[in-house]
Amino acid sequence: MKKGQIYSGTVENIAFPNKGIVKCEDKKVIVKNVIPGQKISFVINKKHGDKCEGRLLETEEKSPLEVNEKACPHFGVCGGCLYQSLLYEQQLEIKKKQVKELIDAVCDDYDFEGIIGSPEIDAYRNKMEFSFGDEYKDGPLALGMHKRGSFYDIANVDECRIVDSDIRKILTATEDYFKKSGLSYYHKMKHEGYLRHLMVRKAKKTGEIMVDLVTSTQCSPDLNPWVDLLLSLEYDGRLVSILNTKNDSLADVVSDEGTDILFGQDYITEGLFDLEFKITPFSFFQTNTLGAELLYSKVREYIGEFNGNTVFDLYSGTGTIAQVLAPVANKVVGVEIVEEAVKSARINAEKNGINNCEFIAGDVLKVVGTLEDKPDLIVLDPPRDGIHPKAIGPIIDFGVDRIVYVSCKPTSLARDLEIFQARGYRVVKVCCVDMFPATANVETVVLLSKTS
């Protein structure tokens, strides 16, 4: 196979998260963003010895699996969802198979409990971040998601299926308003322009809505007309917060360099089980509220009967897991690097009448060795890249009998499980929880037990 050459083939399998395996000329080529059973054409764009990677050019024949007639109209253009064309049961089968293959590669003997589906398939997300840009070079202003495979082009997603009508309404009204405003979007290469992102949160249980316009500081327009427009719309929920976050960072991420309240307050309240959580713009909270209840129920199940003194909740976010576990522990210690999330966790615990949780702001890597308490059980819920290699050692050194590991990236999970097993732990149980229907992502919960 030659770089730059065009080939055709059928997708045999798909490895997490979106790596299609295509057999062609007795070789296996990786092509991203495809579905098993599709016949595709692709161009070889990377070659490392016998390993080849291709870029998808065209789907010549649909997969027999693609029978979902309710697929999002933006599917295939927007880069947000991979499995919109599949029935939900088939999505679950693919994710379950991917995770089991990854865990089987590093674990010999464990109980695989399959996958738990999301309570909602459509309109399940409680948070979305949209980007300003253009749909093509030098085109008119657009607001939406990045097009599949593009760092620059933006796809309009005003009929997005994974958010509800209130979020879509805010998206459309904001795009229409700023198209007429004459304000420029932020050009990532030139580092010029004003409009960067639109972040919208809507609490599933309370219906409270937050809108945050993320901009540079290169100009200071009057945003009151935009605020008045949003307040004039009719919602199923209730708009309680309109914010303007300043971000002059060169990176294409939503970063907080100061936030002004344009209307209402700087938080919304969400429910989880019988608890309430104050969510600020940049505090972490699971994007699927009803799915999170299933996820944390599985965590509680894996913990089982626990009469120990202290639980460590490492990578604790806004303290959701810590507060869910508080009733079965004398003390829960949460560690989280985002200070805003720690502040919210403390407020949430007080609001919920929980007084046995302590939340510490800091990097787990740096903090874990300085903690005065000694845990009887550890819960881990790290970011996508997993646990920092230098942090795993000190975590293992606590010598707790059980560890519950919650992962949103099974490839990172499999890597970390190898280390835990080499240091005296065995994998007892594994269960997937689908928090992200239509996408390639999945959560996995693992129970680890000390063997020596």
Side-chain angles (χ1 to χ4, degrees):
M1 285 190 160
K2 295 182 180 180
K3 194 173 179 180
Q5 196 78 20
I6 296 175
Y7 298 89
S8 292
T10 300
V11 182
E12 293 189 339
N13 194 9
I14 183 167
F16 182 87
N18 62 346
K19 296 179 179 179
I21 312 300
V22 183
K23 191 172 182 181
C24 182
E25 295 189 357
D26 296 325
K27 292 185 181 295
K28 290 187 176 181
V29 183
I30 294 175
V31 182
K32 293 182 178 179
N33 299 317
V34 293
I35 300 293
Q38 286 179 336
K39 185 177 180 181
I40 63 169
S41 61
F42 57 93
V43 60
I44 300 295
N45 59 352
K46 291 183 182 179
K47 197 173 179 193
H48 307 284
D50 290 335
K51 295 182 179 180
C52 295
E53 293 185 25
R55 176 171 56 85
L56 177 66
L57 295 177
E58 183 184 2
T59 301
E60 297 176 348
E61 292 180 15
K62 291 175 65 173
S63 166
L65 303 177
E66 295 184 273
V67 296
N68 182 13
E69 297 178 356
K70 297 180 180 179
C72 176
H74 310 299
F75 175 64
V77 179
C78 167
C81 295
L82 180 61
Y83 295 142
Q84 279 278 354
S85 60
L86 305 182
L87 296 177
Y88 189 53
E89 293 75 14
Q90 190 60 51
Q91 296 178 31
L92 295 178
E93 283 299 315
I94 290 174
K95 294 181 183 186
K96 181 174 72 172
K97 183 173 182 288
Q98 288 175 341
V99 174
K100 189 173 188 304
E101 287 176 350
L102 287 166
I103 305 300
D104 284 350
V106 297
C107 302
D108 293 327
D109 183 21
Y110 68 99
D111 182 12
F112 184 70
E113 296 185 331
I115 188 167
I116 299 171
S118 172
E120 294 180 315
I121 301 172
D122 297 322
Y124 63 86
R125 284 191 67 95
N126 57 37
K127 176 190 174 185
M128 283 292 280
E129 293 176 4
F130 302 106
S131 296
F132 285 94
D134 50 23
E135 293 194 53
Y136 53 90
K137 188 176 181 181
D138 299 326
L141 181 74
L143 174 60
M145 304 293 290
H146 284 278
K147 289 185 179 180
R148 179 167 291 176
S150 175
F151 181 66
Y152 299 102
D153 297 341
I154 301 298
N156 176 287
V157 290
D158 58 353
E159 295 185 57
C160 176
R161 294 288 171 82
I162 63 175
V163 297
D164 79 353
S165 59
D166 284 347
I167 295 178
R168 294 196 299 268
K169 189 176 293 184
I170 290 166
L171 169 68
T172 299
T174 299
E175 181 180 28
D176 290 345
Y177 175 83
F178 284 109
K179 274 183 176 179
K180 300 171 184 175
S181 72
L183 293 167
S184 171
Y185 71 88
Y186 183 83
H187 293 259
K188 288 179 285 222
M189 294 296 289
K190 299 177 183 177
H191 308 303
E192 296 176 353
Y194 177 67
L195 301 164
R196 302 197 67 164
H197 300 93
L198 179 74
M199 181 170 67
V200 187
R201 289 183 183 264
K202 182 180 178 183
K204 179 65 66 173
K205 297 291 187 69
T206 66
E208 293 184 352
I209 302 168
M210 170 191 291
V211 182
D212 189 1
L213 181 69
V214 183
T215 66
S216 73
T217 60
Q218 294 181 20
C219 62
S220 302
D222 180 8
L223 294 175
N224 286 318
W226 171 67
V227 172
D228 291 340
L229 171 63
L230 295 187
L231 292 174
S232 72
L233 301 176
E234 293 186 3
Y235 302 101
D236 292 329
R238 185 166 60 95
L239 184 57
V240 300
S241 173
I242 304 178
L243 310 172
N244 175 209
T245 291
K246 313 296 175 54
N247 177 19
D248 287 320
S249 167
L250 299 183
D252 186 34
V253 294
V254 178
S255 179
D256 183 14
E257 297 175 3
T259 297
D260 295 330
I261 300 175
L262 305 181
F263 168 79
Q265 58 205 32
D266 64 350
Y267 67 91
I268 58 173
T269 301
E270 177 63 294
L272 203 64
F273 298 112
D274 57 349
L275 304 172
E276 286 190 350
F277 292 90
K278 174 182 175 181
I279 304 172
T280 52
F282 297 95
S283 57
F284 173 78
F285 194 88
Q286 290 284 358
T287 56
N288 182 339
T289 303
L290 301 184
E293 292 184 334
L294 295 180
L295 179 70
Y296 298 149
S297 293
K298 180 57 66 172
V299 171
R300 288 201 296 198
E301 178 189 321
Y302 277 11
I303 288 172
E305 293 296 326
F306 176 70
N307 298 311
N309 292 320
T310 303
V311 176
F312 277 8
D313 177 14
L314 304 183
Y315 312 95
S316 55
T318 51
T320 48
I321 292 179
Q323 292 177 64
V324 168
L325 300 183
V328 300
N330 288 338
K331 183 177 183 180
V332 183
V333 178
V335 179
E336 169 58 44
I337 195 170
V338 180
E339 290 190 16
E340 182 180 335
V342 173
K343 291 177 184 177
S344 293
R346 291 168 180 161
I347 293 170
N348 290 332
E350 182 178 356
K351 189 174 184 179
N352 289 315
I354 295 172
N355 55 19
N356 63 337
C357 288
E358 177 186 357
F359 297 101
I360 299 169
D363 188 342
V364 169
L365 171 63
K366 299 176 181 178
V367 170
V368 72
T370 67
L371 298 174
E372 295 181 2
D373 293 284
K374 300 303 176 187
D376 299 292
L377 185 143
I378 295 175
V379 177
L380 302 165
D381 189 5
R384 289 186 62 78
D385 289 338
I387 304 169
H388 192 288
K390 292 183 180 179
I392 291 185
I395 290 170
I396 292 173
D397 289 342
F398 283 119
V400 298
D401 289 335
R402 282 177 290 169
I403 295 173
V404 178
Y405 191 142
V406 183
S407 171
C408 60
K409 188 178 180 182
T411 48
S412 300
L413 171 65
R415 179 203 65 206
D416 291 347
L417 290 182
E418 285 193 277
I419 300 172
F420 279 107
Q421 290 176 114
R423 290 286 307 275
Y425 282 86
R426 72 180 182 91
V427 175
V428 180
K429 295 180 181 179
V430 176
C431 185
C432 305
V433 181
D434 186 30
M435 302 275 284
F436 319 101
T439 79
N441 299 312
V442 64
E443 294 273 353
T444 308
V445 187
V446 179
L447 173 63
L448 292 148
S449 177
K450 197 169 186 293
T451 59
S452 58

